[in-house]
Amino acid sequence: SCAGLVLNNYAPDDTLMSVSRIAVALSLLFSYPLAFVGVRDGLLDLLQVENRPDSLLNSLTIVLLSIITGLAYKLDDLRKLLAFNGATWGNAVIYLFPTYMFIQCAKKNIKPGLKFEVPVAVLTGLIGLGMGLLGTAIAVNS
């Protein structure tokens, strides 16, 4: 049995853990803007927005921060979110993205040895997809 935030497993009067909690809070406070700008700009890139006036950036920042703050307010246990994240994105990074990149590279440069490796890569990707779907279902139903 472990708390969603590992630092909460330690005694509240432990001085070193209190310093660690403050260090984590400062790290989050000062690194959040950098990560947030990446999310905001990534969303604009995904939506293919070329013209980005300050008014759009400010409005989108308010909307995104409101959504993220609302979700953070409702989530009191991160285990389910982390399990879902690992089952979807973790699995995609380990199995699906490398398979896709290998197949795209193999299309451009087919060598005799790659004719055998491409089906193996596809099989690996399909197995990873199956494990990702199973892991996602387990994470959602737990």
Short mmCIF file of all heavy atoms in Angstrom, two decimals, residues 31-94:
data_model
loop_
_atom_site.label_atom_id
_atom_site.label_comp_id
_atom_site.label_asym_id
_atom_site.label_seq_id
_atom_site.Cartn_x
_atom_site.Cartn_y
_atom_site.Cartn_z
N SER A 31 9.32 24.70 -13.26
CA SER A 31 9.41 23.97 -14.52
C SER A 31 8.06 23.91 -15.24
O SER A 31 8.00 23.64 -16.44
CB SER A 31 9.94 22.56 -14.30
OG SER A 31 9.04 21.80 -13.53
N TYR A 32 6.96 24.16 -14.53
CA TYR A 32 5.64 24.08 -15.13
C TYR A 32 5.45 25.03 -16.31
O TYR A 32 4.91 24.64 -17.35
CB TYR A 32 4.56 24.31 -14.07
CG TYR A 32 3.17 24.08 -14.60
CD1 TYR A 32 2.66 22.80 -14.70
CD2 TYR A 32 2.38 25.14 -15.02
CE1 TYR A 32 1.39 22.58 -15.19
CE2 TYR A 32 1.12 24.93 -15.53
CZ TYR A 32 0.62 23.65 -15.60
OH TYR A 32 -0.62 23.43 -16.12
N PRO A 33 5.87 26.29 -16.22
CA PRO A 33 5.68 27.19 -17.37
C PRO A 33 6.35 26.69 -18.64
O PRO A 33 5.79 26.82 -19.73
CB PRO A 33 6.29 28.52 -16.90
CG PRO A 33 6.21 28.47 -15.42
CD PRO A 33 6.42 27.02 -15.06
N LEU A 34 7.52 26.11 -18.52
CA LEU A 34 8.22 25.59 -19.69
C LEU A 34 7.43 24.45 -20.33
O LEU A 34 7.24 24.42 -21.55
CB LEU A 34 9.63 25.13 -19.30
CG LEU A 34 10.49 24.57 -20.42
CD1 LEU A 34 10.76 25.64 -21.46
CD2 LEU A 34 11.78 24.02 -19.86
N ALA A 35 6.97 23.53 -19.52
CA ALA A 35 6.17 22.41 -20.04
C ALA A 35 4.84 22.90 -20.59
O ALA A 35 4.37 22.42 -21.62
CB ALA A 35 5.95 21.38 -18.93
N PHE A 36 4.23 23.87 -19.92
CA PHE A 36 2.94 24.38 -20.36
C PHE A 36 3.03 25.05 -21.73
O PHE A 36 2.16 24.86 -22.59
CB PHE A 36 2.35 25.36 -19.34
CG PHE A 36 1.02 25.90 -19.77
CD1 PHE A 36 -0.12 25.15 -19.61
CD2 PHE A 36 0.92 27.14 -20.37
CE1 PHE A 36 -1.36 25.62 -20.02
CE2 PHE A 36 -0.30 27.63 -20.79
CZ PHE A 36 -1.45 26.86 -20.62
N VAL A 37 4.05 25.84 -21.96
CA VAL A 37 4.22 26.51 -23.25
C VAL A 37 4.38 25.45 -24.35
O VAL A 37 3.84 25.61 -25.45
CB VAL A 37 5.42 27.49 -23.22
CG1 VAL A 37 5.80 27.95 -24.61
CG2 VAL A 37 5.09 28.67 -22.34
N GLY A 38 5.07 24.36 -24.05
CA GLY A 38 5.19 23.28 -25.02
C GLY A 38 3.85 22.65 -25.35
O GLY A 38 3.56 22.35 -26.51
N VAL A 39 3.02 22.45 -24.34
CA VAL A 39 1.68 21.89 -24.57
C VAL A 39 0.83 22.86 -25.38
O VAL A 39 0.16 22.47 -26.35
CB VAL A 39 0.99 21.56 -23.22
CG1 VAL A 39 -0.48 21.24 -23.42
CG2 VAL A 39 1.69 20.40 -22.54
N ARG A 40 0.85 24.12 -25.00
CA ARG A 40 0.05 25.12 -25.72
C ARG A 40 0.48 25.25 -27.17
O ARG A 40 -0.35 25.21 -28.09
CB ARG A 40 0.17 26.47 -25.01
CG ARG A 40 -0.72 27.55 -25.63
CD ARG A 40 -0.39 28.91 -25.11
NE ARG A 40 0.96 29.27 -25.53
CZ ARG A 40 1.65 30.28 -25.03
NH1 ARG A 40 1.15 31.02 -24.08
NH2 ARG A 40 2.86 30.55 -25.46
N ASP A 41 1.78 25.36 -27.41
CA ASP A 41 2.26 25.49 -28.78
C ASP A 41 2.05 24.20 -29.57
O ASP A 41 1.78 24.23 -30.77
CB ASP A 41 3.74 25.88 -28.79
CG ASP A 41 3.96 27.29 -28.29
OD1 ASP A 41 2.97 28.05 -28.16
OD2 ASP A 41 5.12 27.64 -28.01
N GLY A 42 2.18 23.05 -28.90
CA GLY A 42 1.91 21.78 -29.56
C GLY A 42 0.46 21.66 -30.00
O GLY A 42 0.17 21.15 -31.08
N LEU A 43 -0.45 22.14 -29.16
CA LEU A 43 -1.87 22.13 -29.51
C LEU A 43 -2.13 23.04 -30.72
O LEU A 43 -2.86 22.67 -31.64
CB LEU A 43 -2.71 22.57 -28.33
CG LEU A 43 -4.21 22.63 -28.56
CD1 LEU A 43 -4.76 21.23 -28.85
CD2 LEU A 43 -4.91 23.22 -27.36
N LEU A 44 -1.50 24.21 -30.72
CA LEU A 44 -1.66 25.11 -31.86
C LEU A 44 -1.07 24.51 -33.14
O LEU A 44 -1.63 24.66 -34.23
CB LEU A 44 -1.02 26.47 -31.57
CG LEU A 44 -1.75 27.32 -30.51
CD1 LEU A 44 -0.91 28.53 -30.14
CD2 LEU A 44 -3.12 27.72 -31.01
N ASP A 45 0.06 23.81 -33.01
CA ASP A 45 0.64 23.13 -34.18
C ASP A 45 -0.28 22.02 -34.66
O ASP A 45 -0.45 21.83 -35.86
CB ASP A 45 2.01 22.54 -33.83
CG ASP A 45 3.08 23.59 -33.65
OD1 ASP A 45 2.88 24.74 -34.11
OD2 ASP A 45 4.12 23.27 -33.04
N LEU A 46 -0.86 21.28 -33.73
CA LEU A 46 -1.77 20.19 -34.09
C LEU A 46 -2.99 20.72 -34.82
O LEU A 46 -3.47 20.10 -35.78
CB LEU A 46 -2.19 19.43 -32.82
CG LEU A 46 -2.98 18.16 -33.01
CD1 LEU A 46 -2.15 17.10 -33.70
CD2 LEU A 46 -3.46 17.64 -31.66
N LEU A 47 -3.48 21.86 -34.39
CA LEU A 47 -4.64 22.48 -35.04
C LEU A 47 -4.24 23.31 -36.27
O LEU A 47 -5.09 23.93 -36.89
CB LEU A 47 -5.39 23.36 -34.04
CG LEU A 47 -5.98 22.63 -32.84
CD1 LEU A 47 -6.57 23.63 -31.84
CD2 LEU A 47 -7.02 21.62 -33.28
N GLN A 48 -2.95 23.35 -36.57
CA GLN A 48 -2.39 24.06 -37.72
C GLN A 48 -2.75 25.54 -37.73
O GLN A 48 -3.16 26.11 -38.74
CB GLN A 48 -2.83 23.39 -39.03
CG GLN A 48 -2.34 21.98 -39.14
CD GLN A 48 -2.80 21.28 -40.40
OE1 GLN A 48 -3.67 21.76 -41.11
NE2 GLN A 48 -2.22 20.12 -40.68
N VAL A 49 -2.57 26.17 -36.57
CA VAL A 49 -2.82 27.61 -36.44
C VAL A 49 -1.51 28.33 -36.75
O VAL A 49 -0.53 28.18 -36.03
CB VAL A 49 -3.31 27.97 -35.01
CG1 VAL A 49 -3.47 29.46 -34.86
CG2 VAL A 49 -4.60 27.24 -34.70
N GLU A 50 -1.51 29.09 -37.83
CA GLU A 50 -0.31 29.81 -38.26
C GLU A 50 -0.20 31.18 -37.59
O GLU A 50 0.83 31.55 -37.08
CB GLU A 50 -0.30 29.97 -39.78
CG GLU A 50 -0.22 28.66 -40.53
CD GLU A 50 1.08 27.91 -40.30
OE1 GLU A 50 2.12 28.57 -40.09
OE2 GLU A 50 1.03 26.68 -40.29
N ASN A 51 -1.29 31.94 -37.61
CA ASN A 51 -1.32 33.28 -37.03
C ASN A 51 -1.59 33.17 -35.53
O ASN A 51 -2.64 32.70 -35.13
CB ASN A 51 -2.39 34.12 -37.73
CG ASN A 51 -2.33 35.56 -37.29
OD1 ASN A 51 -1.34 36.01 -36.71
ND2 ASN A 51 -3.40 36.29 -37.55
N ARG A 52 -0.63 33.61 -34.71
CA ARG A 52 -0.75 33.47 -33.26
C ARG A 52 -0.58 34.80 -32.55
O ARG A 52 0.45 35.07 -31.93
CB ARG A 52 0.29 32.47 -32.74
CG ARG A 52 0.12 31.09 -33.35
CD ARG A 52 1.17 30.15 -32.88
NE ARG A 52 1.02 28.87 -33.56
CZ ARG A 52 1.71 27.80 -33.30
NH1 ARG A 52 2.64 27.83 -32.37
NH2 ARG A 52 1.51 26.68 -33.96
N PRO A 53 -1.60 35.65 -32.61
CA PRO A 53 -1.49 36.92 -31.89
C PRO A 53 -1.51 36.69 -30.37
O PRO A 53 -1.93 35.64 -29.88
CB PRO A 53 -2.72 37.69 -32.36
CG PRO A 53 -3.69 36.65 -32.80
CD PRO A 53 -2.87 35.50 -33.30
N ASP A 54 -1.07 37.70 -29.64
CA ASP A 54 -1.02 37.60 -28.18
C ASP A 54 -2.40 37.34 -27.58
O ASP A 54 -2.52 36.62 -26.58
CB ASP A 54 -0.43 38.88 -27.57
CG ASP A 54 1.07 38.99 -27.82
OD1 ASP A 54 1.70 37.95 -28.12
OD2 ASP A 54 1.61 40.10 -27.70
N SER A 55 -3.43 37.91 -28.18
CA SER A 55 -4.77 37.70 -27.63
C SER A 55 -5.17 36.23 -27.71
O SER A 55 -5.78 35.69 -26.78
CB SER A 55 -5.79 38.56 -28.38
OG SER A 55 -5.81 38.24 -29.76
N LEU A 56 -4.82 35.55 -28.80
CA LEU A 56 -5.11 34.12 -28.92
C LEU A 56 -4.31 33.32 -27.90
O LEU A 56 -4.86 32.43 -27.24
CB LEU A 56 -4.79 33.63 -30.34
CG LEU A 56 -4.89 32.12 -30.55
CD1 LEU A 56 -6.34 31.67 -30.44
CD2 LEU A 56 -4.30 31.72 -31.88
N LEU A 57 -3.02 33.63 -27.78
CA LEU A 57 -2.18 32.91 -26.82
C LEU A 57 -2.68 33.10 -25.39
O LEU A 57 -2.73 32.15 -24.62
CB LEU A 57 -0.73 33.37 -26.95
CG LEU A 57 -0.01 33.03 -28.26
CD1 LEU A 57 1.38 33.62 -28.26
CD2 LEU A 57 0.02 31.54 -28.49
N ASN A 58 -3.08 34.33 -25.05
CA ASN A 58 -3.58 34.59 -23.70
C ASN A 58 -4.90 33.87 -23.44
O ASN A 58 -5.10 33.28 -22.38
CB ASN A 58 -3.75 36.10 -23.48
CG ASN A 58 -2.42 36.81 -23.42
OD1 ASN A 58 -1.38 36.21 -23.16
ND2 ASN A 58 -2.44 38.11 -23.68
N SER A 59 -5.81 33.90 -24.42
CA SER A 59 -7.10 33.22 -24.25
C SER A 59 -6.92 31.72 -24.13
O SER A 59 -7.52 31.06 -23.27
CB SER A 59 -8.01 33.52 -25.44
OG SER A 59 -8.25 34.89 -25.53
N LEU A 60 -6.07 31.15 -24.99
CA LEU A 60 -5.82 29.71 -24.93
C LEU A 60 -5.13 29.32 -23.62
O LEU A 60 -5.45 28.28 -23.04
CB LEU A 60 -4.97 29.28 -26.13
CG LEU A 60 -4.73 27.78 -26.27
CD1 LEU A 60 -6.05 27.03 -26.39
CD2 LEU A 60 -3.83 27.50 -27.46
N THR A 61 -4.25 30.17 -23.14
CA THR A 61 -3.59 29.90 -21.85
C THR A 61 -4.62 29.85 -20.73
O THR A 61 -4.58 28.94 -19.90
CB THR A 61 -2.54 30.99 -21.56
OG1 THR A 61 -1.53 30.93 -22.57
CG2 THR A 61 -1.91 30.80 -20.20
N ILE A 62 -5.54 30.78 -20.71
CA ILE A 62 -6.58 30.80 -19.66
C ILE A 62 -7.45 29.55 -19.75
O ILE A 62 -7.75 28.90 -18.74
CB ILE A 62 -7.41 32.09 -19.75
CG1 ILE A 62 -6.54 33.29 -19.35
CG2 ILE A 62 -8.66 32.01 -18.89
CD1 ILE A 62 -7.18 34.63 -19.63
N VAL A 63 -7.86 29.19 -20.96
CA VAL A 63 -8.72 28.01 -21.14
C VAL A 63 -7.99 26.74 -20.72
O VAL A 63 -8.52 25.92 -19.96
CB VAL A 63 -9.22 27.91 -22.60
CG1 VAL A 63 -9.87 26.58 -22.88
CG2 VAL A 63 -10.18 29.05 -22.91
N LEU A 64 -6.76 26.57 -21.21
CA LEU A 64 -6.01 25.36 -20.87
C LEU A 64 -5.71 25.27 -19.37
O LEU A 64 -5.82 24.21 -18.76
CB LEU A 64 -4.71 25.29 -21.67
CG LEU A 64 -4.84 24.94 -23.14
CD1 LEU A 64 -3.50 25.02 -23.84
CD2 LEU A 64 -5.45 23.56 -23.31
N LEU A 65 -5.31 26.40 -18.78
CA LEU A 65 -5.04 26.39 -17.33
C LEU A 65 -6.30 26.09 -16.54
O LEU A 65 -6.25 25.40 -15.51
CB LEU A 65 -4.44 27.72 -16.89
CG LEU A 65 -2.95 27.91 -17.16
CD1 LEU A 65 -2.51 29.30 -16.74
CD2 LEU A 65 -2.13 26.85 -16.44
N SER A 66 -7.45 26.58 -16.99
CA SER A 66 -8.71 26.27 -16.30
C SER A 66 -9.03 24.79 -16.38
O SER A 66 -9.43 24.17 -15.38
CB SER A 66 -9.85 27.08 -16.92
OG SER A 66 -9.61 28.45 -16.79
N ILE A 67 -8.85 24.20 -17.56
CA ILE A 67 -9.12 22.76 -17.71
C ILE A 67 -8.16 21.94 -16.86
O ILE A 67 -8.57 21.03 -16.13
CB ILE A 67 -9.02 22.37 -19.20
CG1 ILE A 67 -10.16 22.98 -20.00
CG2 ILE A 67 -9.02 20.85 -19.36
CD1 ILE A 67 -10.00 22.85 -21.50
N ILE A 68 -6.87 22.26 -16.92
CA ILE A 68 -5.87 21.52 -16.16
C ILE A 68 -6.09 21.68 -14.66
O ILE A 68 -6.00 20.72 -13.90
CB ILE A 68 -4.45 21.96 -16.58
CG1 ILE A 68 -4.17 21.51 -18.01
CG2 ILE A 68 -3.40 21.41 -15.62
CD1 ILE A 68 -2.92 22.12 -18.61
N THR A 69 -6.42 22.89 -14.23
CA THR A 69 -6.66 23.12 -12.80
C THR A 69 -7.91 22.38 -12.34
O THR A 69 -7.93 21.80 -11.25
CB THR A 69 -6.80 24.63 -12.52
OG1 THR A 69 -5.62 25.29 -12.97
CG2 THR A 69 -7.01 24.90 -11.05
N GLY A 70 -8.96 22.36 -13.16
CA GLY A 70 -10.17 21.61 -12.82
C GLY A 70 -9.90 20.13 -12.70
O GLY A 70 -10.37 19.46 -11.77
N LEU A 71 -9.11 19.59 -13.64
CA LEU A 71 -8.76 18.17 -13.56
C LEU A 71 -7.91 17.88 -12.32
O LEU A 71 -8.11 16.87 -11.64
CB LEU A 71 -8.01 17.74 -14.82
CG LEU A 71 -8.84 17.62 -16.09
CD1 LEU A 71 -7.94 17.37 -17.29
CD2 LEU A 71 -9.86 16.51 -15.95
N ALA A 72 -6.97 18.77 -12.03
CA ALA A 72 -6.13 18.58 -10.85
C ALA A 72 -6.94 18.66 -9.56
O ALA A 72 -6.66 17.95 -8.59
CB ALA A 72 -5.01 19.63 -10.83
N TYR A 73 -7.95 19.48 -9.56
CA TYR A 73 -8.82 19.61 -8.38
C TYR A 73 -9.63 18.33 -8.16
O TYR A 73 -9.84 17.91 -7.02
CB TYR A 73 -9.74 20.81 -8.55
CG TYR A 73 -10.65 21.05 -7.37
CD1 TYR A 73 -10.14 21.55 -6.18
CD2 TYR A 73 -12.00 20.74 -7.44
CE1 TYR A 73 -10.96 21.76 -5.09
CE2 TYR A 73 -12.84 20.95 -6.36
CZ TYR A 73 -12.31 21.45 -5.19
OH TYR A 73 -13.14 21.64 -4.11
N LYS A 74 -10.09 17.71 -9.25
CA LYS A 74 -10.91 16.51 -9.14
C LYS A 74 -10.09 15.25 -8.86
O LYS A 74 -10.58 14.32 -8.23
CB LYS A 74 -11.71 16.28 -10.43
CG LYS A 74 -12.88 17.21 -10.61
CD LYS A 74 -13.89 17.07 -9.51
CE LYS A 74 -14.88 15.99 -9.82
NZ LYS A 74 -15.90 15.85 -8.79
N LEU A 75 -8.84 15.20 -9.33
CA LEU A 75 -8.02 14.00 -9.15
C LEU A 75 -7.34 14.04 -7.79
O LEU A 75 -6.53 14.92 -7.52
CB LEU A 75 -6.95 13.92 -10.24
CG LEU A 75 -7.41 13.49 -11.61
CD1 LEU A 75 -6.27 13.61 -12.61
CD2 LEU A 75 -7.93 12.07 -11.58
N ASP A 76 -7.67 13.08 -6.95
CA ASP A 76 -6.99 13.01 -5.66
C ASP A 76 -6.06 11.81 -5.58
O ASP A 76 -5.26 11.70 -4.67
CB ASP A 76 -8.00 12.97 -4.51
CG ASP A 76 -8.97 11.82 -4.65
OD1 ASP A 76 -8.97 11.15 -5.69
OD2 ASP A 76 -9.74 11.59 -3.69
N ASP A 77 -6.16 10.90 -6.54
CA ASP A 77 -5.29 9.73 -6.58
C ASP A 77 -4.75 9.60 -7.99
O ASP A 77 -5.51 9.40 -8.94
CB ASP A 77 -6.07 8.48 -6.17
CG ASP A 77 -5.18 7.27 -6.04
OD1 ASP A 77 -3.94 7.43 -6.10
OD2 ASP A 77 -5.72 6.17 -5.88
N LEU A 78 -3.44 9.70 -8.14
CA LEU A 78 -2.83 9.69 -9.46
C LEU A 78 -2.57 8.30 -10.00
O LEU A 78 -2.15 8.15 -11.14
CB LEU A 78 -1.51 10.46 -9.42
CG LEU A 78 -1.61 11.94 -9.11
CD1 LEU A 78 -0.22 12.54 -9.00
CD2 LEU A 78 -2.41 12.65 -10.16
N ARG A 79 -2.81 7.26 -9.20
CA ARG A 79 -2.48 5.90 -9.65
C ARG A 79 -3.21 5.52 -10.93
O ARG A 79 -2.63 4.95 -11.84
CB ARG A 79 -2.76 4.89 -8.55
CG ARG A 79 -1.73 4.97 -7.43
CD ARG A 79 -2.03 3.96 -6.38
NE ARG A 79 -3.12 4.49 -5.56
CZ ARG A 79 -3.43 4.03 -4.37
NH1 ARG A 79 -2.78 3.00 -3.87
NH2 ARG A 79 -4.41 4.56 -3.68
N LYS A 80 -4.49 5.81 -11.01
CA LYS A 80 -5.26 5.44 -12.20
C LYS A 80 -4.78 6.23 -13.42
O LYS A 80 -4.63 5.68 -14.51
CB LYS A 80 -6.75 5.67 -11.98
CG LYS A 80 -7.60 5.15 -13.12
CD LYS A 80 -9.07 5.31 -12.84
CE LYS A 80 -9.55 4.08 -12.09
NZ LYS A 80 -11.01 3.96 -12.10
N LEU A 81 -4.50 7.51 -13.24
CA LEU A 81 -4.01 8.32 -14.34
C LEU A 81 -2.64 7.84 -14.82
O LEU A 81 -2.39 7.73 -16.02
CB LEU A 81 -3.93 9.79 -13.91
CG LEU A 81 -3.40 10.77 -14.95
CD1 LEU A 81 -4.35 10.84 -16.15
CD2 LEU A 81 -3.21 12.13 -14.34
N LEU A 82 -1.76 7.53 -13.87
CA LEU A 82 -0.43 7.04 -14.24
C LEU A 82 -0.50 5.68 -14.91
O LEU A 82 0.25 5.40 -15.85
CB LEU A 82 0.47 7.00 -13.02
CG LEU A 82 0.86 8.36 -12.44
CD1 LEU A 82 1.65 8.19 -11.15
CD2 LEU A 82 1.64 9.17 -13.44
N ALA A 83 -1.40 4.81 -14.46
CA ALA A 83 -1.57 3.50 -15.09
C ALA A 83 -2.08 3.66 -16.52
O ALA A 83 -1.60 3.00 -17.44
CB ALA A 83 -2.52 2.64 -14.27
N PHE A 84 -3.04 4.54 -16.71
CA PHE A 84 -3.58 4.80 -18.05
C PHE A 84 -2.50 5.39 -18.95
O PHE A 84 -2.35 4.99 -20.10
CB PHE A 84 -4.79 5.74 -17.96
CG PHE A 84 -5.41 6.04 -19.28
CD1 PHE A 84 -6.26 5.14 -19.88
CD2 PHE A 84 -5.13 7.24 -19.92
CE1 PHE A 84 -6.83 5.41 -21.12
CE2 PHE A 84 -5.70 7.52 -21.16
CZ PHE A 84 -6.55 6.60 -21.75
N ASN A 85 -1.74 6.34 -18.42
CA ASN A 85 -0.67 6.98 -19.18
C ASN A 85 0.39 5.95 -19.60
O ASN A 85 0.84 5.95 -20.74
CB ASN A 85 -0.04 8.10 -18.35
CG ASN A 85 0.97 8.89 -19.14
OD1 ASN A 85 0.82 9.10 -20.33
ND2 ASN A 85 2.02 9.33 -18.47
N GLY A 86 0.78 5.09 -18.69
CA GLY A 86 1.77 4.08 -19.01
C GLY A 86 1.27 3.07 -20.03
O GLY A 86 2.00 2.64 -20.92
N ALA A 87 -0.01 2.70 -19.91
CA ALA A 87 -0.58 1.72 -20.83
C ALA A 87 -0.73 2.29 -22.23
O ALA A 87 -0.63 1.55 -23.22
CB ALA A 87 -1.93 1.24 -20.31
N THR A 88 -0.96 3.58 -22.35
CA THR A 88 -1.17 4.16 -23.67
C THR A 88 0.14 4.74 -24.23
O THR A 88 0.71 4.19 -25.17
CB THR A 88 -2.25 5.26 -23.63
OG1 THR A 88 -1.91 6.22 -22.62
CG2 THR A 88 -3.61 4.66 -23.33
N TRP A 89 0.63 5.81 -23.63
CA TRP A 89 1.81 6.48 -24.17
C TRP A 89 3.09 5.70 -23.96
O TRP A 89 3.96 5.67 -24.85
CB TRP A 89 1.94 7.89 -23.58
CG TRP A 89 0.88 8.78 -24.11
CD1 TRP A 89 -0.22 9.23 -23.44
CD2 TRP A 89 0.76 9.27 -25.44
NE1 TRP A 89 -1.00 9.98 -24.27
CE2 TRP A 89 -0.42 10.03 -25.51
CE3 TRP A 89 1.54 9.16 -26.58
CZ2 TRP A 89 -0.83 10.67 -26.67
CZ3 TRP A 89 1.13 9.79 -27.73
CH2 TRP A 89 -0.04 10.53 -27.76
N GLY A 90 3.23 5.09 -22.80
CA GLY A 90 4.44 4.29 -22.57
C GLY A 90 4.54 3.15 -23.56
O GLY A 90 5.61 2.88 -24.12
N ASN A 91 3.44 2.49 -23.78
CA ASN A 91 3.41 1.39 -24.74
C ASN A 91 3.66 1.88 -26.16
O ASN A 91 4.36 1.23 -26.94
CB ASN A 91 2.06 0.68 -24.64
CG ASN A 91 2.09 -0.64 -25.35
OD1 ASN A 91 3.02 -1.41 -25.20
ND2 ASN A 91 1.07 -0.89 -26.13
N ALA A 92 3.11 3.03 -26.50
CA ALA A 92 3.32 3.58 -27.85
C ALA A 92 4.79 3.92 -28.08
O ALA A 92 5.34 3.65 -29.15
CB ALA A 92 2.44 4.81 -28.06
N VAL A 93 5.44 4.49 -27.07
CA VAL A 93 6.85 4.87 -27.21
C VAL A 93 7.74 3.64 -27.32
O VAL A 93 8.72 3.63 -28.06
CB VAL A 93 7.28 5.76 -26.02
CG1 VAL A 93 8.78 5.91 -25.95
CG2 VAL A 93 6.62 7.12 -26.12
N ILE A 94 7.38 2.57 -26.61
CA ILE A 94 8.21 1.37 -26.61
C ILE A 94 7.98 0.50 -27.85
O ILE A 94 8.93 -0.02 -28.43
CB ILE A 94 7.94 0.54 -25.34
CG1 ILE A 94 8.44 1.31 -24.12
CG2 ILE A 94 8.62 -0.82 -25.41
CD1 ILE A 94 8.00 0.71 -22.81
#
